[in-house]
Amino acid sequence: MEITLDEGYSFGLGAFETIAVKDEKLIFLDRHLRRLDRALHFLKIGALDERGITEKQVIDYVKQQKLTDGACKLTVSKENVVFQQRQNPYTDDIRRTGFVMDFSSVRRNETSPLTAYKTLNYGDCILENRQAHGLGMNERIFLNTKGQISEGCTTNIFFIQDDKLVTPPVSSGMLPGVMRRYVIKEAGRRGVLLEEKELYPEDISKFNGCFVTNSLLGMMPAASFGERKFDTAKVLHFIEQIL
């Protein structure tokens, strides 16, 4: 694989998407490509059609690799288009057990436009995720500069309050996830009340459930968030109402 050194690899001015593959199908491929297209427009490095990147191209790559289940990663910078594949690390055993989470000491900068795009400026997320796993946790959650709950290293977060879903707004400084959008849409379609509101660490005690989302793990229940414990079986039951 040849990589041309450009501003993507020198300064992080590139974007990427990681798309789940299940039974040879790319999950939410169109939504991932639309989000990637928005990032490329923002970075001014050429829209998908200008770069010749199509749904068919991604599908053909997955077929050529004979990837049945896993993940397809597409990385785009000014001079490069890179396809990669890998396994999906999230198993049913993890889902039954639930995530162990805590707050990161790193703050998410809600004033930065980069937070709204999945760019190669991903160092905070990777380093905090590695540290979390080193401490026996699955995820760390960022607060923003105002002390509000924002997002995880690789996830968006939702809380359950009786029969209602509560999640931080995009203005709290986050990447609007593909799965986040799916949950919000499905909750509305199924009549589940959902509220986007600014949340603080002390609000966690009000909730009786929590789960996080991304394209590879889907909706993952939290077993604990700091000192707060949750019943993962009840969270999974609630999630089933949205699926």
Side-chain angles (χ1 to χ4, degrees):
M1 179 190 303
E2 271 192 34
I3 298 291
T4 300
L5 188 62
D6 60 11
E7 289 185 332
Y9 289 85
S10 297
F11 305 114
L13 297 182
F16 72 98
E17 290 289 330
T18 305
I19 307 154
V21 180
K22 185 69 175 176
D23 298 327
E24 301 181 1
K25 295 181 180 178
L26 288 131
I27 309 301
F28 298 136
L29 173 60
D30 57 337
R31 298 183 188 183
H32 281 285
L33 290 183
R34 284 199 298 270
R35 186 171 67 173
L36 178 60
D37 195 47
R38 288 194 296 270
L40 299 181
H41 274 288
F42 166 72
L43 295 170
K44 295 181 172 58
I45 55 176
L48 289 181
D49 56 354
E50 296 171 344
R51 305 296 297 274
I53 301 170
T54 64
E55 286 191 21
K56 183 179 183 304
Q57 187 180 18
V58 183
I59 293 169
D60 286 347
Y61 170 79
V62 169
K63 288 180 178 178
Q64 290 164 7
Q65 298 299 313
K66 298 180 180 179
L67 181 60
T68 303
D69 295 287
C72 172
K73 182 178 180 181
L74 172 57
T75 305
V76 182
S77 62
K78 187 174 182 180
E79 303 293 336
N80 301 281
V81 177
V82 178
F83 288 90
Q84 296 169 281
Q85 62 161 317
R86 62 183 175 90
Q87 295 303 307
N88 188 334
Y90 304 110
T91 65
D92 289 337
D93 287 340
I94 298 174
R95 195 174 309 281
R96 284 189 291 269
T97 303
F99 264 20
V100 175
M101 312 190 304
D102 207 344
F103 285 110
S104 168
S105 60
V106 176
R107 293 296 177 107
R108 181 64 84 224
N109 180 8
E110 76 281 1
T111 70
S112 170
L114 291 172
T115 60
Y117 301 96
K118 198 159 189 175
T119 74
L120 300 183
N121 285 266
Y122 216 64
D124 281 349
C125 297
I126 297 299
L127 292 175
E128 285 299 286
N129 187 259
R130 287 175 180 173
Q131 188 173 61
H133 284 274
L135 295 171
M137 294 185 291
N138 303 100
E139 178 66 305
R140 275 191 154 166
I141 304 298
F142 294 109
L143 300 177
N144 64 18
T145 64
K146 299 176 182 177
Q148 300 164 345
I149 296 172
S150 176
E151 64 177 346
C153 300
T154 62
T155 62
N156 293 127
I157 189 165
F158 289 83
F159 294 97
I160 301 168
Q161 189 172 27
D162 300 323
D163 294 327
K164 180 173 74 172
L165 275 178
V166 183
T167 190
V170 174
S171 60
S172 293
M174 69 173 72
L175 173 72
V178 167
M179 273 303 300
R180 178 183 185 274
R181 179 184 174 188
Y182 171 79
V183 170
I184 291 173
K185 182 177 180 180
E186 286 299 298
R189 190 174 71 85
R190 294 173 183 261
V192 178
L193 184 62
L194 183 142
E195 182 180 10
E196 294 183 69
K197 63 181 292 188
E198 295 172 350
L199 298 171
Y200 295 84
E202 57 267 28
D203 292 325
I204 296 175
S205 62
K206 304 174 186 176
F207 302 119
N208 45 28
C210 175
F211 62 92
V212 292
T213 63
N214 73 28
S215 293
L216 295 189
L217 58 78
M219 292 179 269
M220 179 69 71
S224 63
F225 189 170
E227 298 299 317
R228 185 76 168 91
K229 309 295 183 184
F230 297 107
D231 186 330
T232 56
K234 289 183 178 179
V235 175
L236 282 169
H237 178 71
F238 190 93
I239 287 173
E240 288 172 0
Q241 299 178 53
I242 301 173
L243 285 172

